[in-house]
């Protein structure tokens, strides 16, 4: 059920049960990160392959030492600049973290989320929370409590309601090659240039399906059920279709055509931040309209526009 009562969440988590938690990025499906039994339930409920590791959510920068070791100075610098916030760091793991969390890797993904409800929850617990996004594997991530309920219904005893997610898109993931050189594993809310302003040049990972270091990099992901395509020229694409029920996902300009049944303009004023925040909720709405096709317009390919294009490309595979 959907509730604002963190005591119910605490009870569940202490019994190795799962709770959906709000964060500033998307809603998570959380369990005790130190309990293999709780973590197994996350993989099962999400139908997530066991080779796809989870993110561990911690309550403070000080807690980092409990879950990670050999922390590179650049990682600490990033944590100090961006935490609590939408940045995940992949670091050498401590033995406290069970293998099931990291899919057997010797590294663990960690972040300190920035949502008041979830931060107070973490403060009340003597363990961190492992949490992937609260959606069945491969589908669109949830950005409000209702999205989570629509996916899991009463299979989840507690969905903590923290309103609409402030950022609406997953955290940016940074790792360190040879424990030293920063590498981007997943585009997210914090842009590469914001990170480079703090620590200098960051390499971009080119991993793909054959080597899913960060399976947020899996080619098909964040995907609506409805066939989705991404194009530079919406009008031209519409002209190539005959008599189909069309949905449109565009940045700032509405499109007019008789076959368009549902349209989502992500930011009429052309603000990339606002567009990011609205992206998944718009995809959820489009997907509910029994359309034949969703046509998404490619965004300007810089900053957050790059992040949105990355998600849209994976949604359209
Ligand atoms: O914003 C977020 O990060 C949200 C909220 C709930 O915190 N969580 C999220 O989790 O997006 P999830 O499971 O959907 O994505 C976790 C990503 C996956 O792409 C996973 O492969 C990557 O983190 N990851 C986890 N551990 C890793 C590791 N040791 N090395 C590389 N990538 C890792
Ligand atoms: Mg996810």
């Amino acid at each position: 059920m959907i509730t604002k009562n963190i005591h119910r969440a605490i009870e569940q988590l202490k019994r190795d049960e799962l709770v959906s938690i709000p964060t500033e990025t998307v809603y998570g499906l959380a369990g005790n990160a130190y309990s293999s039994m709780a973590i197994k339930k996350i993989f099962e409920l999400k139908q997530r392959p066991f080779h796809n590791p989870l993110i561990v959510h911690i309550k403070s920068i000080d807690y980092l030492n409990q879950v990670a070791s050999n922390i590179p100075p650049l990682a600490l610098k990033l944590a100090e600049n961006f935490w609590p916030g939408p940045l995940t760091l992949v670091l050498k793991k401590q033995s406290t973290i069970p293998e099931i969390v990291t899919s057997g890797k010797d590294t663990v993904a960690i972040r300190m989320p920035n949502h008041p409800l979830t931060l107070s929850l973490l403060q009340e617990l003597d363990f961190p929370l492992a949490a992937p996004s609260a959606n069945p594997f491969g589908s669109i991530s949830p950005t409000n409590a209702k999205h989570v309920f629509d996916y899991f219904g009463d299979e989840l005893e507690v969905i903590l309601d923290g309103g609409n997610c402030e950022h609406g898109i997953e955290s940016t993931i940074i790792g360190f090659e040879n424990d030293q050189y920063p590498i981007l594993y997943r585009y997210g809310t914090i842009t590469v240039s914001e990170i480079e302003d703090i620590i200098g040049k960051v390499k971009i990972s080119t991993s793909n399906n054959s080597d899913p270091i960060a399976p947020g990099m899996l080619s098909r992901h964040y995907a609506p059920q409805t066939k989705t395509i991404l194009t530079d020229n919406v009008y031209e694409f519409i002209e190539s279709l005959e008599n189909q029920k069309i949905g449109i996902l565009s940045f700032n300009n509405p499109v007019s055509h008789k076959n368009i049944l549902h349209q989502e303009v992500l930011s009429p004023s052309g603000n990339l931040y606002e567009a990011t925040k609205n992206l998944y909720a718009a995809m959820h709405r489009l997907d509910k309209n029994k359309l034949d096709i969703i046509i998404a317009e490619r965004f300007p390919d810089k900053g957050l526009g790059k992040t949105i294009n990355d998600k849209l490309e994976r949604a359209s595979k």
Side-chain angles (χ1 to χ4, degrees):
M1 65 177 290
I2 297 178
T3 173
K4 289 186 180 355
N5 183 344
I6 71 167
H7 299 288
R8 297 211 48 189
I10 293 167
E11 257 169 50
Q12 284 290 108
L13 291 164
K14 284 189 172 164
R15 287 195 284 132
D16 284 344
E17 294 296 335
L18 309 184
V19 164
S20 179
I21 54 167
T23 83
E24 77 282 31
T25 58
V26 300
Y27 274 67
L29 185 61
N32 177 350
Y34 294 153
S35 158
S36 301
M37 201 161 92
I39 303 310
K40 185 155 173 278
K41 291 178 186 168
I42 296 179
F43 281 95
E44 285 168 356
L45 185 58
K46 243 191 99 102
Q47 294 187 309
R48 179 181 177 111
F50 281 101
H51 61 71
N52 191 346
L54 307 180
I55 295 176
V56 170
H57 297 70
I58 59 174
K59 60 181 159 196
S60 65
I61 297 184
D62 289 345
Y63 199 84
L64 198 49
N65 290 311
Q66 309 273 325
V67 286
S69 60
N70 295 10
I71 301 163
L74 291 185
L76 212 51
K77 217 167 162 185
L78 288 177
E80 277 158 5
N81 265 278
F82 294 109
W83 284 2
L87 176 72
T88 294
L89 298 172
V90 175
L91 303 171
K92 278 276 171 316
K93 86 179 203 51
Q94 282 281 11
S95 54
T96 47
I97 301 294
E99 300 233 312
I100 186 172
V101 171
T102 64
S103 305
K105 286 171 182 290
D106 64 352
T107 52
V108 57
I110 306 160
R111 80 180 192 100
M112 178 185 175
N114 191 14
H115 190 290
L117 210 54
T118 292
L119 281 174
S120 7
L121 176 63
L122 285 167
Q123 291 294 346
E124 299 280 331
L125 299 168
D126 55 7
F127 48 82
L129 293 174
S133 50
N135 52 294
F137 184 66
S139 58
I140 310 165
S141 302
T143 56
N144 62 42
K146 173 79 169 34
H147 291 156
V148 180
F149 185 81
D150 287 349
Y151 280 137
F152 299 112
D154 291 325
E155 283 181 278
L156 265 180
E157 287 259 333
V158 177
I159 299 170
L160 260 191
D161 188 359
N164 288 320
C165 297
E166 183 193 341
H167 296 295
I169 234 172
E170 287 84 350
S171 60
T172 305
I173 304 183
I174 298 282
F176 295 87
E177 285 188 321
N178 298 325
D179 287 338
Q180 197 175 352
Y181 305 107
I183 174 165
L184 176 95
Y185 287 140
R186 181 172 74 183
Y187 286 100
T189 307
I190 297 176
T191 62
V192 173
S193 70
E194 285 171 309
I195 287 168
E196 290 185 333
D197 283 347
I198 310 293
I199 57 167
K201 195 77 193 141
V202 171
K203 183 174 152 183
I204 310 293
S205 167
T206 52
S207 81
N208 54 32
N209 273 350
S210 59
D211 177 25
I213 294 177
M217 290 287 202
L218 282 175
S219 57
R220 184 176 158 84
H221 218 90
Y222 318 109
Q225 303 286 312
T226 315
K227 177 178 180 203
T228 301
I229 70 104
L230 176 62
T231 175
D232 288 311
N233 192 330
V234 174
Y235 281 105
E236 204 172 274
F237 195 88
I238 293 180
E239 291 309 323
S240 72
L241 300 170
E242 271 174 33
N243 279 331
Q244 298 217 22
K245 288 181 263 169
I246 298 173
I248 299 286
L249 183 68
S250 71
F251 179 21
N252 49 357
N253 292 316
V255 177
S256 62
H257 189 279
K258 65 178 179 16
N259 291 349
I260 295 175
L261 262 65
H262 187 100
Q263 176 151 199
E264 295 282 346
V265 179
L266 294 181
S267 173
S269 67
N271 178 326
L272 281 170
Y273 189 83
E274 182 185 33
T276 309
K277 179 173 173 149
N278 291 332
L279 177 66
Y280 289 154
M283 282 163 75
H284 279 283
R285 284 191 295 271
L286 279 159
D287 214 14
K288 288 218 152 79
N289 272 274
K290 302 209 163 52
L291 302 162
D292 295 317
I293 189 166
I294 298 170
I295 305 175
E297 172 188 59
R298 192 181 299 279
F299 277 64
D301 206 36
K302 52 174 194 279
L304 276 176
K306 235 187 172 52
T307 299
I308 296 177
N309 285 337
D310 180 73
K311 307 293 171 203
L312 290 174
E313 261 157 30
R314 292 171 207 279
S316 63
K317 287 272 164 56

